[in-house]
Amino acid sequence: MPGDHEPSKPDAVEGAFAALASQAPPRPPLTHILGATVGVTIPLIVLGAAADATDLALLIPPMAATAALVVGGPDLPLAQPRNIVLGHLLGALIGLGLAHWFGGSVLVGGLAAGLAFGAMLLLRCAHSPGAATAMLLVTIPPAVPARFLAVLMASAVLVILAGLAANRLRRLRYPAYWW
């Protein structure tokens, strides 16, 4: 009809993108940014030195993600000590078990990561970097699994302690719960 106005194609596209538009959160204060940077960097340097000494550099990527969660989102369930310790432990045990039974491959690594995350959800200790630990242990199994587990657990405790210090300095509450 002559009086009807149908939206043109550009209007429809703009409307679709407008629905997706959002605004990023504001930048934190510089003191928080510096504290977070130091809080993530220092434990990772210590872990890097330990990894060099033990030939266990494969634990660094999941621990870097853990440190970023603890410092960047100290109130998130994924960043709580219980989730960190149990998440990495479950990931390691499932990854080592599947690597032992099925050998190392990316396919089995994906299975290990998925099973580890499912186990974490079941035990109420979801920690996504623990899924990365599972996958890494299948695709790059350590020569001495017991030594890896010991270094992994010590690394988790170090990251928790560093997060505790960094978040206290920034006057942020951490942890929300211990266990």
Side-chain angles (χ1 to χ4, degrees):
M1 293 203 175
D4 290 342
H5 174 68
E6 287 189 31
S8 66
K9 294 250 185 217
D11 289 340
V13 172
E14 286 176 24
F17 280 109
L20 297 175
S22 64
Q23 185 175 356
R27 180 177 290 114
L30 185 58
T31 55
H32 281 247
I33 293 170
L34 292 173
T37 302
V38 170
V40 170
T41 304
I42 289 176
L44 292 177
I45 289 171
V46 172
L47 291 178
D52 282 346
T54 59
D55 292 325
L56 294 174
L58 73 149
L59 70 85
I60 297 300
M63 282 301 153
T66 295
L69 279 171
V70 169
V71 174
D75 55 334
L76 294 173
L78 296 172
Q80 303 311 307
R82 166 192 168 85
N83 297 50
I84 293 168
V85 170
L86 292 178
H88 281 296
L89 181 61
L90 285 169
L93 294 175
I94 290 170
L96 289 170
L98 290 182
H100 176 75
W101 292 322
F102 300 110
S105 75
V106 175
L107 181 66
V108 177
L111 176 64
L115 290 175
F117 198 69
M120 289 176 226
L121 291 173
L122 184 66
L123 295 174
R124 299 178 309 124
C125 60
H127 185 66
S128 47
T133 296
M135 185 160 206
L136 280 172
L137 287 172
V138 171
T139 56
I140 311 169
V144 184
R147 182 173 65 181
F148 178 86
L149 283 172
V151 173
L152 178 70
M153 291 296 96
S155 298
V157 170
L158 174 66
V159 169
I160 291 166
L161 293 174
L164 186 63
N167 288 321
R168 293 285 159 107
L169 287 173
R170 297 180 315 145
R171 300 189 198 302
L172 298 175
R173 183 172 181 256
Y174 179 78
Y177 55 88
W178 281 96
W179 204 255

